[in-house]
Structure formats: C-alpha cells, structure tokens
Amino acid sequence: MRSAFPLAARPALLAALLLGALLLGTLGSPAGHAAPGPAPFPYVRGALPMPKPRPGEATVLTLETARGPLPLTLSQLRALSVVRYATEQPQLGRTFTYEGAALRDLAAWGGFGGRDLRVMATNGFAATIRAADYLNHPIMLAYRADGRPISPLHKGPLTVVLPPQPARFSTGSYSAAWVWFAERLAPAP
C-alpha cells in the first residue's frame, strides 16, 4: 500500500506527530503547560471545561488562594484531569483503584503550585505534603474507589491518596498523610 505522503515529507510528518503526542500529554494541566516530573502521571483523561456550580450543588473542596477562597463542587473537581491507580489504603488494609485530581493540578489551579501544601479535613486533621513530592508523584485527591464514590466508611467522600512508590510514602511522616474527609487545600505556612 502506498503512502499518501511523499518520502521527503515523512520525517516532517513524524516530527509533527511526536510533537502532537507530547502536547496532548500536557492538555490536562490547568494552564496547558508541561507538568513537571521525571515521568508522566497516569492521567486517564485531560481536563474538561470547568462547569459553573449548579443551583444547590454543595462545595466539596475549598482552595485557599491569595485572592480568597475558591470553592469547588464535585462536578468541578471531576472536570480537572483524572489520575487513576491502584494502591493499598493503609488504615483499611485494602487495595482500591482510586480516581481523582492530582494535587499538582489542584495547586496550579489555586495559584500556589510549587509550594508545600496543607490538606485539612472536616474533622480537624491536617497534613503537609511537600511540593517536590506532589509535583513528581501522582498524589491525588480521590473521589472514586473501584469505580464508585468513596463512602465515609472507606475514608471518603474525598481522600488524599499516595501512590505505592516510592515506598517512603507508606512510612514515616507520610504514613499519616492519607487525609480523609478532606475539605480544604492551601499553601503550607
């Protein structure tokens, strides 16, 4: 079968296809910039247009920005790029396939990307996540586990999820970073 492209045009076409593939990998970042990190995150979908809150729709997460609080509904949170991976929830001792928004995307959306983050829960618990970690590893704020909304029994409806690697995420200072009932995200003081 003959190609519709002349032999001389094929290197340019290949270069354009490779550039396009690279650019498509950045569509999920809030500003369309290439996301930092040594390896791409396991995005399963890029960002969608941010919907306006529907009448009566509850705020599920508040980003504490320099311009004031930025409330997000679940439909708005779901409009951000989606990360998905399986990992063990340490308090439950069960493995789930979690789905949610990468903390680096939420931090960029809030205007404080590159700074350490403070995640606060409705029950008063809080944890700090270092910028180098959320920028280079797909730490997420999950809203689904095994394809279903996360129940309070399973540490939902929103929970911070750390990937299985590096192993240090399951020990030391990060062993308590699995914040469930998450409600606010802010730059760390």
Side-chain angles (χ1 to χ4, degrees):
M1 184 162 131
R2 292 190 66 178
S3 171
F5 295 99
L7 201 52
R10 288 185 189 162
L13 177 62
L14 181 59
L17 289 172
L18 288 173
L19 180 61
L22 288 171
L23 290 174
L24 284 175
T26 65
L27 290 177
S29 58
H33 298 290
F41 280 12
Y43 286 114
V44 294
R45 179 184 51 73
L48 302 173
M50 186 60 67
K52 293 193 181 306
R54 294 184 304 260
E57 190 175 15
T59 295
V60 296
L61 179 71
T62 301
L63 301 179
E64 301 292 339
T65 74
R67 296 180 307 272
L70 176 61
L72 293 173
T73 65
L74 186 57
S75 63
Q76 291 173 317
L77 190 60
R78 287 182 177 158
L80 295 171
S81 298
V82 178
V83 174
R84 180 187 306 147
Y85 55 84
T87 191
E88 182 179 351
Q89 205 295 337
Q91 289 87 10
L92 297 174
R94 285 186 51 198
T95 297
F96 295 93
T97 298
Y98 288 100
E99 188 174 293
L103 288 187
R104 78 172 178 197
D105 295 341
L106 286 165
W109 188 261
F112 45 83
R115 294 181 57 191
D116 290 354
L117 297 181
R118 190 82 171 148
V119 182
M120 293 149 280
T122 57
N123 63 2
F125 182 77
T128 299
I129 299 179
R130 291 185 293 275
D133 288 331
Y134 76 77
L135 289 172
N136 293 304
H137 304 284
I139 299 171
M140 77 169 94
L141 185 64
Y143 46 77
R144 296 179 74 75
D146 292 339
R148 295 183 294 277
I150 306 171
S151 71
L153 182 62
H154 292 123
K155 311 298 185 191
L158 297 178
T159 187
V160 172
V161 173
L162 297 126
Q165 294 299 321
R168 68 182 171 80
F169 284 159
S170 61
T171 61
S173 64
Y174 274 131
S175 63
W178 288 72
V179 178
W180 56 89
F181 306 119
E183 69 169 349
R184 288 186 301 139
L185 186 65

